[in-house]
Amino acid sequence: MNIKKTIVASLLACMLPAAVMAKDISVGVSMALFDDNFLTILRTSMQKEMQKDGVKGQVEDAKGDVSQQLQQVQNFIGQGVDALIVNPVDTNAVKPIMDQASKAGIPLIFVNRRPGAELTGKMAYVGSDSELAGRLQMEALAKAMNGKGNVAILMGDLANEATRDRTKGVEEVAAKFPGIKIVQKQTAKFTRNDAVDVVSNWMTAGDQINAIASNNDEMAIGALQALGKNPDKILIAGVDGTPDALQMLKQGKMVATVFQDAQGQGEGAVQTAIKLVKGEKVQKIINIPYQLITKDNMEQFTNRNLK
């Protein structure tokens, strides 16, 4: 009996370092911006997942500044973190971040915003196919428009791949309908306030617009605010599936939004970081699917994407 106990104790001792390793992982997270509804939901999701897994996490706000984000990454490396998770400010300016991570031999996971450079070594991207979001959004609008009318596109930050790909998806679907014409296309930087200004200017200029395809929900809501008491005259669709957008859907003020799974992306980014730190193989691109939300199916999304 004593021999058996000794063997069991020895086996447990051998297993202990692996268990401790999972608990002792530290991750540095740099978010492009704290002051954004969807990114706040994403950030909260990552923090909950790190807490659940016993991962030590430090989360910083890059405040939309590329140089500040690079400095945060350098600071994390200097502090000796085991992995980096980056929600990039500019998806075309990630090379210096990748170089720093490679030089330090630290796993680097990009989340939500797909980098515009090839992923090498211990790197991965966890996010969604932005072009699909644009296609789903425009298909819903085209149906509501009966295939005819003028469309305006509210674009996000021009430095972001989501802006380019979602816009491309909208344009591809619109091109399939001879009766649909894109008459305006302007950036509102993913923000509600900028969208109010852009749409107000369109209305003042007398632009004939029947529908607005917005690269995200925040700008869609800004468009509704700009339209004031007569929002039903222009059909509006967004992307993200935030609680605010679902409320607009419920009230019939929006035609659709496209659900972007913040929880799936956040948990996926943390789990990918843990696997890479432990030396496990992961896919370079981990896709979290988009789903169209309309008034008909919105109930199943009401408890998703909560802060």
Side-chain angles (χ1 to χ4, degrees):
M1 183 66 72
N2 288 337
I3 294 173
K4 286 183 179 179
K5 285 182 179 179
T6 302
I7 293 172
V8 171
S10 298
L11 288 171
L12 287 172
C14 291
M15 293 168 64
L16 188 58
V20 172
M21 177 186 164
K23 295 286 185 183
D24 287 346
I25 291 174
S26 61
V27 177
V29 181
S30 175
M31 298 295 296
L33 194 68
F34 275 14
D35 189 20
D36 176 278
N37 268 357
F38 181 80
L39 294 183
T40 297
I41 299 166
L42 174 65
R43 171 165 47 97
T44 302
S45 173
M46 285 192 285
Q47 290 171 318
K48 286 179 179 177
E49 184 66 13
M50 287 189 286
Q51 186 177 20
K52 187 185 84 173
D53 296 325
V55 172
K56 299 172 185 174
Q58 183 178 341
V59 186
E60 299 287 346
D61 181 5
K63 299 178 181 178
D65 187 326
V66 172
S67 59
Q68 186 166 334
Q69 186 159 63
L70 178 59
Q71 185 62 56
Q72 288 170 355
V73 167
Q74 291 169 334
N75 290 343
F76 286 144
I77 292 171
Q79 292 165 19
V81 298
D82 298 302
L84 298 161
I85 296 177
V86 176
N87 169 240
V89 171
D90 184 341
T91 52
N92 283 332
V94 294
K95 191 66 167 61
I97 292 173
M98 296 169 77
D99 290 343
Q100 291 287 329
S102 294
K103 185 179 177 182
I106 297 175
L108 170 62
I109 298 87
F110 290 101
V111 64
N112 179 252
R113 298 179 175 183
R114 186 169 180 167
E118 184 181 354
L119 299 174
T120 60
K122 293 184 283 188
M123 297 180 191
Y125 165 69
V126 179
S128 305
D129 180 359
S130 293
E131 195 172 317
L132 174 61
R135 291 199 300 269
L136 290 172
Q137 177 188 65
M138 190 59 225
E139 285 168 0
L141 282 174
K143 182 178 179 181
M145 296 167 70
N146 294 318
K148 294 184 292 183
N150 294 337
V151 177
I153 303 176
L154 277 172
M155 301 170 68
D157 187 341
L158 298 180
N160 194 315
E161 60 80 29
T163 295
R164 297 187 291 273
D165 288 351
R166 290 175 190 175
T167 300
K168 182 181 178 183
V170 169
E171 291 172 330
E172 284 178 352
V173 171
K176 296 177 182 178
F177 294 85
I180 291 178
K181 183 180 179 183
I182 295 175
V183 294
Q184 279 287 2
K185 190 166 68 169
Q186 192 171 336
T187 178
K189 303 175 184 176
F190 283 131
T191 71
R192 196 178 292 198
N193 290 340
D194 282 10
V196 171
D197 294 339
V198 170
V199 175
S200 294
N201 289 338
W202 288 344
M203 296 300 101
T204 301
D207 292 329
Q208 296 300 308
I209 296 171
N210 303 108
I212 295 175
S214 173
N215 281 172
N216 77 341
D217 286 339
E218 283 296 286
M219 294 188 298
I221 292 168
L224 286 170
Q225 291 175 343
L227 296 174
K229 296 180 180 179
N230 300 306
D232 55 326
K233 290 185 177 180
I234 296 180
L235 303 171
I236 296 176
V239 176
D240 283 338
T242 63
D244 287 350
L246 293 185
Q247 197 60 34
M248 295 299 104
L249 270 177
K250 188 175 182 179
Q251 295 173 15
K253 294 180 179 179
M254 280 175 62
V255 171
T257 183
V258 182
F259 178 69
Q260 184 175 201
D261 190 349
Q263 182 179 349
Q265 290 183 8
E267 291 177 357
V270 173
Q271 286 301 319
T272 301
I274 293 171
K275 288 177 182 177
L276 285 173
V277 170
K278 293 168 78 172
E280 298 177 20
K281 289 186 177 181
V282 300
Q283 293 179 310
K284 289 292 181 189
I285 307 295
I286 298 159
N287 186 52
I288 310 296
Y290 277 112
Q291 299 174 68
L292 181 69
I293 308 176
T294 65
K295 198 171 183 178
D296 293 335
N297 70 344
M298 63 168 289
E299 290 301 324
Q300 62 186 278
F301 295 94
T302 52
N303 292 321
R304 311 280 294 275
N305 278 353
L306 299 177
K307 293 181 183 179

